[in-house]
Amino acid sequence: GVVALFASEGGSWAFAVAGPARGRCQLPASGQENGLASFLLGHPGSAGVQSKPSAGRRHASGSSQEQDTSSWGRSAPQNVLSALAAAALGLSAVARMARRPIVGGNWKCNPASKKDLDGLIANVQACDTSGCDVYVCPSMLHVDYCSDKFTNGAKVTPQNCNFRGCGAYTGEASVEQMKDMGITNVLIGHSERRGEFGITPMDTHSSLAAKMKMILEAGMTCVYCI
């Protein structure tokens, strides 16, 4: 998606987002929500940009005029915002066309017996993955067994990694170990690790940011649960 930031008179920030599904915007000062194009183009009912005459800077035409500074930087020419709106929505359309569906399954702390993995693997192997990306998240004890079992493009994706790498970190797994097993994808931030359902929190926004940095620097991809 595309994010555009606008400064308000009070020094706070408003933002507009055009994503693959729908362009939206939010203005903290007023709470209004409108489509991105309406916001940027200043359609009635949106908190768009307006200009007002005043004894401000002199324009090439010789008139003395100053742009309203309530929406973007300290000036917001209408033609610039119109171009930004068109570009944002255009990029959003391209993103929708290019986006490939993703299907993933988290096996959590299952199954109890290693012998039951073959049935789960066979189910995924039988799937046609030509039209989507597929990943599965085995228990950490089962990752190694599953790592080379899929031939249809399904990715074995561990359910967590640490944010320090290899070392004296009892009970943890590092991206270096995962890469050595041929793994390229890892899941982080699951609600059950964030403290949902009465489980002691094991992840915070800060720890997840550090993990994401480790993953990306290792050249891996990430399933980031939000």
Side-chain angles (χ1 to χ4, degrees):
V2 180
V3 178
L5 288 174
F6 300 83
S8 71
E9 282 182 317
S12 61
W13 287 92
F15 64 88
V17 181
R22 185 177 182 184
R24 300 289 292 174
C25 72
Q26 178 176 340
L27 298 178
S30 64
Q32 292 179 324
E33 288 191 353
N34 295 282
L36 176 62
S38 295
F39 175 65
L40 292 176
L41 294 174
H43 289 175
S46 72
V49 174
Q50 300 175 350
S51 60
K52 59 184 178 182
S54 67
R57 61 176 69 94
R58 184 165 297 277
H59 288 239
S61 62
S63 63
S64 180
Q65 191 175 24
E66 184 177 57
Q67 294 290 340
D68 187 344
T69 61
S70 64
S71 293
W72 182 28
R74 301 313 293 173
S75 63
Q78 189 68 32
N79 61 337
V80 172
L81 295 178
S82 299
L84 179 56
L89 293 178
L91 288 172
S92 176
V94 170
R96 283 197 301 271
M97 290 167 42
R99 185 168 185 174
R100 182 176 169 87
I102 301 172
V103 179
N106 181 6
W107 297 351
K108 305 194 175 186
C109 193
N110 297 296
S113 176
K114 185 177 177 180
K115 63 181 175 59
D116 294 329
L117 288 170
D118 290 335
L120 294 172
I121 293 169
N123 286 341
V124 178
Q125 276 283 85
C127 296
D128 178 5
T129 61
S130 60
C132 61
D133 292 333
V134 176
Y135 70 86
V136 295
C137 302
S139 164
M140 201 64 78
L141 289 173
H142 296 153
V143 167
D144 189 36
Y145 180 81
C146 297
S147 62
D148 61 354
K149 296 295 191 296
F150 297 99
T151 59
N152 62 349
K155 293 183 178 180
V156 173
T157 301
Q159 300 171 16
N160 185 43
C161 69
N162 72 13
F163 53 86
R164 290 292 181 89
C166 293
Y169 308 114
T170 302
E172 296 291 342
S174 72
V175 293
E176 293 89 348
Q177 293 169 326
M178 295 173 190
K179 288 187 69 174
D180 184 65
M181 295 164 60
I183 290 170
T184 61
N185 197 40
V186 59
L187 179 146
I188 60 173
H190 196 281
S191 60
E192 291 163 3
R193 292 188 55 84
R194 290 178 183 256
E196 296 289 332
F197 314 116
I199 301 174
T200 301
M202 292 168 278
D203 272 319
T204 65
H205 292 313
S206 296
S207 69
L208 290 170
K211 289 180 180 185
M212 174 68 82
K213 185 174 185 292
M214 290 282 295
I215 293 166
L216 296 180
E217 287 181 347
M220 299 172 66
T221 55
C222 178
V223 179
Y224 191 101
C225 302
I226 58 173

